[in-house]
Amino acid sequence: MATEAEELIGFLSSPSPQIKKMAVDIVRGLTGSEDGLLSLTRHSDIVLPSLSALLGEKKEISEPAAEALVNLSQNPELSEKMVRVGMVKTAMEFLYNQDSGIRRLLVMLLLNLTQSDAGIASLLQLEDEKVQGLYISKLVRSFCRSSSEAKEYPFEHVGSILVNISKMEAGRKILLDPKRGLLKQILPQFDSTSLLRKKGVSGTIRNCCFEAENQLQNLLLISEFLWPALLLPVAGKKAYRKEDTSKMPLELGNVLSHEREPVDDPDIRVQALEAIYLIALQEAGRRALWSVNGPRIMQVGYEDEEDPKVMEAYEQIGSLLVHEGGAEEPSEQMSK
Amino acid sequence: MALWMEPGSDPTTERERADLDAISAIKDSSTLELKEKGNEYVKMGKKHYSDAIDCYTRAINQKALNDHENSLIYSNRAHVNLLLGNYRRALEDAEEAIKLSSTNVKAFYRAAKASLSLNLLTEATSFCRKGLELSPSNEELKKLAVQVDSRKSEIENREAQVSKAMTTARNLASALEKRDLKLGKTMYQELTGVKKPVLDKNSILHWPVLLLYAEVMSSDFIEDFCETDMFSTHLDMMFSDSDPSLPWDKEGAYTWKSIELYYESGSGIILSKREVLRYLLEGTAGSLVKSIGDDDEKESDLYSNHSLTSGKGSGKWIKVNEKKTLHDILQQPNFIIPGIPVFYVVSNCSPFYKEFKAGKWALP
């Protein structure tokens, strides 16, 4: 005999919109409680496809369905199951449905699904060489479009998805690939006033800098975008003297010749410094840093810094640069 | 005594059999004589080598001797062939000699020597080794083995150099391609020589860069301009206050404050992938390599649509923002790098400036 839960789940596929609506509201409610979650987990084989089938419905039905899925996807076991049954693809398809009213929820669903390696692989489309990275390119484009206007911009959480995928080497490769030019699009988003967005960008760059040893060129060749995102948050808030800014590229010099709002979040500063550290570990990276007058920026930034955690991150880079003999010149000769 | 017999008639009597033996003995001795004669000829010197060969050949054709003796004759003929420089024949003879007698050390030596001359190094090594197994203390064989080895390593070395040059060039070519940089025909080679960009261990490009003072057509050269460097970094060093001004610049017009950098846009035809590789191989061990990977050919038309944008020397002067990095500028779609990057320096304090800006100045 069917249990209550089974019966309820059965109603999700009812031909009557009213019944469907009621059923999905109840299911959403269940996903909010421990007990409800447990009983739904037991029937995940039916619940997951039934809910995802509702994502294309009118907003009054698709919204609670998506909310239920988001809640369910917080459970690692269920999240992996969703990945296995192709939920990433489903979410991407509905996300780019012409009149989807649940984009923000679908992005959050993707965010939860990319907590696991399998989910990341699925979003990167690693299994098919031909389409690899296509989803990511789409998400990045949406992320970068019209950033400021709407407060509740549905793609705001894409930044966090990017942080997730850049934890995986395959993800960093795709982001750094100069032909796709994704990082180049992402970097300027650091200018956004949204903290969520800023954090997404800075986390992503920092993760990408783990490739500095192998792919330094792909980072430094977009230095026009890279250095502002890394150096401006750690530059302090004072206006710089002309003799300092004259040795900087315009994208740094122009901004630093005025007083600025400081970046409040210490995590962002630490991440930026960690990224700079990873770059400065490489000889060509240090040279590039010197060539934009980076050491001076960090010197000034360090003087303003009060958070001990961040100070430590400054000092770590300092130790690398001191070995250059404290000279004003970039390391004279590259080894050939 | 019947010296010849009717066909079909067998020697039957005792007498006849004895006669036949005698004939064959004469034949043997005449074969051996031929061999001796051959040896004589060899001793008589160069002019008689062909006579020697002739004797040996006749001796062989008599088919009168046992394998051991035949082996010696083949090996002797191999020796003369070596002296004559007929290495292929020498090798064949020596091999035949070895076939007839696998203990003929001289035959191994000659086979090895012939193989070496024919550049068949694996064979040469194997002949040496087998010869030395028979006669471990043979000094000549040892010497030859050393010779073969050194030739081998010489060739390996050269191949390694070529392949290293190829790898370097390919890496460079792919670095250019990944950066969407366009290479054109070399200009001013007389000023730049065969200087080429270098990829450092971080895969960052370092360019040799030519600065041309258009007014007087004299030049300055920056040996190592890292693509991540800004122009100002290098100009800072070149035009520092402490440095004396340029010797020809009597008016002192060319100072850090007054100079401007330009490049010529869209000048020249973009090289195909294959031409780029050939250019990068110039002046390296790989410069003589003929086939630069046929697989590259099909991609060469990839570039053809690019070259549409490049007018013929109708160069327009584009000003360089010296706060940009070299990469920023080289990456401009209308920048075709003439072998190595070339920038034109003019001073806005010089009367020449007006002429240049009005586009009245052209490359001489």
Side-chain angles (χ1 to χ4, degrees), chain A residues 20 38 57 71 96 105 171 224 229 254 279 284 297 312-313:
Chain A
K20 249 197 295 200
L38 197 69
E57 301 263 341
N71 285 342
Y96 286 96
L105 289 168
E224 203 179 328
N254 284 351
I279 291 174
I297 295 177
E312 202 177 307

Side-chain angles (χ1 to χ4, degrees), chain A residues 57 59 62-63 94 97-105:
Chain A
E57 301 263 341
K59 194 172 175 182
S62 65
E63 193 169 41
F94 285 117
N97 239 359
Q98 196 78 101
D99 39 32
S100 172
I102 51 167
R103 292 213 170 96
R104 206 179 59 86
L105 289 168

Side-chain angles (χ1 to χ4, degrees), chain B residues 164-187:
Chain B
K164 196 175 153 211
M166 284 299 280
T167 315
T168 311
R170 277 182 198 283
N171 287 345
L172 263 175
S174 90
L176 296 179
E177 202 195 336
K178 279 197 199 122
R179 287 163 172 73
D180 265 331
L181 300 183
K182 294 158 286 293
L183 216 54
K185 250 184 93 193
T186 312
M187 286 167 85

Side-chain angles (χ1 to χ4, degrees), chain A residues 178-179 184 212-218 220-224 245-251 282-285 287-288 291-293 329-330 332-336, chain B residues 174-180 198-206 223-230 232-234 236-237 256 321-325 327-328 331:
Chain A
K179 290 265 184 277
K184 195 170 162 179
E213 194 178 346
N214 306 313
Q215 299 203 53
L216 188 65
Q217 75 278 18
N218 290 335
L220 292 186
L221 294 184
I222 47 173
S223 51
E224 203 179 328
T245 54
S246 71
K247 289 186 195 127
M248 296 174 194
L250 296 177
E251 61 269 16
Q282 306 301 319
E283 195 173 326
R287 176 168 171 155
S291 82
V292 296
N293 212 3
E329 302 271 306
E332 293 89 301
Q333 281 310 311
M334 307 295 301
S335 54
K336 295 228 167 109
Chain B
S174 90
L176 296 179
E177 202 195 336
K178 279 197 199 122
R179 287 163 172 73
D180 265 331
V198 181
L199 264 185
D200 70 19
K201 60 177 191 289
N202 294 124
S203 300
I204 300 292
L205 272 175
H206 295 248
E223 291 272 351
D224 178 1
F225 198 142
C226 179
E227 60 182 335
T228 58
D229 286 350
M230 288 187 294
S232 58
T233 314
H234 288 274
D236 267 344
M237 283 186 268
W256 203 165
N321 178 344
E322 66 272 7
K323 285 292 181 72
K324 293 276 183 192
T325 64
H327 173 72
D328 292 335
Q331 198 199 22

